[in-house]
Amino acid sequence: MGPLHGIRVLELGSFIAGPFAGQLLADYGAEVVKVEPPRAGDPMRRWGVTKDGESLWWPAIGRNKKSVTVDLRDERGQQLVRELASECDVVLENFRPGTLSRWGLDYAKLAEVNPRIILVHVSGFGQTGPGAGQAGFGSVAEAVGGIRFTTGSPGDAPARAGISLGDSLASLFAVIGALAALAERGSSGRGQEVDVAIYEAVFALMESTVADYHAGGKLRTRSGSVLPGVAPSNVYPAADDAEVVIAANADTVFSRLAEAMGRPDLVTDPRYATHSARGERMAELDELISAWTSRHKSKDLIEQLQNHGVPVGRINTAASILTDPQFAERDMILWRCNAAGTELPMNGIVPKFSRTPGEVTRTGPPLGADTDEVITTLTGTDAETLAALHAEGVL
């Protein structure tokens, strides 16, 4: 049983920013009740790569959750959600600001039935401010938050990471906010709202970029695979066409790299002897290191550098991750069957807990698989009323 066993979460919304937060809370043992539109469900059921009509992403982002179908645009559906919220600890949503208020599901209404409720909002630009009402997908928030400007190679257009970075960052902050609010509730006994803006989740990772510009006159921009002035720390080729990242910019680590290369003279060479000197001669130093790494197969290269205490790692692909013993040893590849019975690999649980580890006991369920059980248990709705709500398309 995970560390959040006994906590019940009501997940509203769709796509990534809210549901990934729900996945993480479920990983840690919370009971997550996911509310989806009848018939259509969360678009994540159909997003990304599919096999036999089934999304290969849904089994992971929907794992450990209960699927309940409710039409949130119907007054009867809204009343059911209020009743569900009265039995929950956290409500997690990622609709455009103002949507919950129109449905009578805003914090004030939920707190009337459950003063201990914690309502976690995830939106592009937050619940307040001049941009609050704007539609905001993660890609737009990555641009506004600043990370796109610094991603890519000099002279090229801003690039994006190959994943939904902004949405995922917002999910992490949503989980952090929910946990902090739960901790505070333990002393006050009261719930509260947690407001996560995706652009702010991105901006929170932007280090000292605004101070660098305002006080230092330096505008951090796209620099490819390196950080200006930090060397050696780059991608280097191996003899077997693999690539490795070597991070040896600290003086002590650089001396160990020089020893591994059989070039102890580099440590006393004034061109490379200090951090600033190496930063000024980054390109020529990278060429020197590349000439050495390209003579060794990646496995031998990594082993040799690790033996010398030099931080190094292969640039993994999905294929190499599936055979990486470190991933396997730490249960970071979980093999589970989807609803159709196909065994699939999915990302493991982070972080690891020594006494109350999380577990994946169920992959993303079929749409509405738990509707009757959850609504009957939490709201006391009788079978005749349930049947009528199903017939009228509310459930």
Side-chain angles (χ1 to χ4, degrees):
M1 295 197 292
L4 292 185
H5 178 72
I7 297 296
R8 182 178 291 130
V9 177
L10 187 63
E11 180 190 304
L12 311 178
S14 58
F15 292 105
I16 304 170
F20 181 46
Q23 175 200 319
L24 296 175
L25 294 169
D27 283 351
Y28 308 150
E31 178 188 356
V32 177
V33 177
K34 179 174 180 60
V35 173
E36 303 181 70
R39 295 171 295 282
D42 190 325
M44 291 304 296
R45 292 178 175 274
R46 302 174 294 280
W47 257 37
V49 180
T50 61
K51 183 175 182 180
D52 299 326
E54 297 285 334
S55 166
L56 298 181
W57 194 346
W58 171 251
I61 202 167
R63 69 194 191 192
N64 291 335
K65 299 178 184 179
K66 296 179 177 179
S67 174
V68 173
T69 53
V70 179
D71 185 353
L72 295 178
R73 291 170 173 79
D74 187 285
E75 289 185 4
R76 292 164 297 176
Q78 295 159 7
Q79 177 58 33
L80 278 175
V81 169
R82 283 190 288 272
E83 293 178 32
L84 290 173
S86 71
E87 299 296 324
C88 291
D89 299 282
V90 176
V91 173
L92 172 65
E93 68 94 12
N94 66 317
F95 295 108
R96 190 184 298 194
T99 301
L100 289 190
S101 294
R102 292 197 302 272
W103 291 341
L105 300 174
D106 53 280
Y107 179 72
K109 292 293 186 182
L110 297 182
E112 287 179 3
V113 298
N114 184 358
R116 292 171 57 83
I117 198 68
I118 294 163
L119 176 56
V120 181
H121 304 281
V122 182
S123 63
F125 299 97
Q127 303 297 304
T128 60
Q134 298 178 25
F137 272 26
S139 56
V140 175
E142 290 168 21
V144 176
I147 200 167
R148 288 291 184 99
F149 185 73
T150 62
T151 305
S153 298
D156 290 346
R160 68 167 295 163
I163 57 171
S164 302
L165 184 61
D167 289 321
S168 298
L169 288 173
S171 295
L172 293 173
F173 280 103
V175 171
I176 293 169
L179 297 179
L182 284 168
E184 191 280 336
R185 192 185 70 175
S187 57
S188 71
R190 299 169 57 198
Q192 61 180 299
E193 292 181 88
V194 177
D195 182 1
V196 180
I198 304 176
Y199 88 97
E200 291 170 357
V202 171
F203 182 63
L205 266 68
M206 293 307 295
E207 300 176 351
S208 61
T209 50
V210 292
D212 293 347
Y213 171 74
H214 178 75
K218 299 290 185 181
L219 181 63
R220 198 184 303 189
T221 183
R222 296 178 287 287
S223 57
S225 61
V226 300
L227 287 178
V230 178
S233 183
N234 206 342
V235 180
Y236 302 96
D240 52 2
D241 293 329
E243 294 174 308
V244 299
V245 170
I246 300 174
N249 47 290
D251 289 345
T252 54
V253 182
F254 179 68
S255 66
R256 297 199 290 269
L257 171 62
E259 181 181 352
M261 294 172 60
R263 292 291 308 275
D265 57 296
L266 295 177
V267 178
T268 56
D269 188 321
R271 295 174 298 173
Y272 315 120
T274 65
H275 177 79
S276 58
R278 291 191 295 275
E280 291 174 2
R281 294 168 176 81
M282 175 184 296
E284 64 185 64
L285 183 57
D286 280 343
E287 287 183 10
L288 190 155
I289 296 170
S290 293
W292 174 72
T293 62
S294 61
R295 299 196 298 268
H296 303 273
K297 291 184 176 181
S298 57
K299 181 179 179 180
D300 298 333
L301 180 64
I302 290 171
E303 183 177 355
Q304 184 174 355
L305 290 171
Q306 288 177 338
N307 288 339
H308 283 81
V310 177
V312 60
R314 174 180 176 147
I315 292 187
N316 268 331
T317 66
S320 57
I321 284 173
L322 286 172
T323 60
D324 190 312
Q326 181 70 14
F327 282 78
E329 176 65 25
R330 289 181 56 80
D331 291 325
M332 282 310 299
I333 303 295
L334 300 179
W335 293 91
R336 299 290 189 273
C337 289
N338 66 5
T342 302
E343 188 177 41
L344 300 171
M346 62 178 62
N347 302 354
I349 296 173
V350 181
K352 309 301 183 187
F353 297 91
S354 64
R355 187 170 50 80
T356 58
E359 179 56 274
V360 175
T361 58
R362 182 191 201 190
T363 58
L367 179 62
D370 308 285
T371 301
D372 290 358
E373 179 261 323
V374 168
I375 290 180
T376 299
T377 302
L378 298 188
T379 72
T381 303
D382 59 58
E384 183 178 352
T385 303
L386 274 177
L389 292 172
H390 277 294
E392 295 170 28
V394 179
L395 301 181

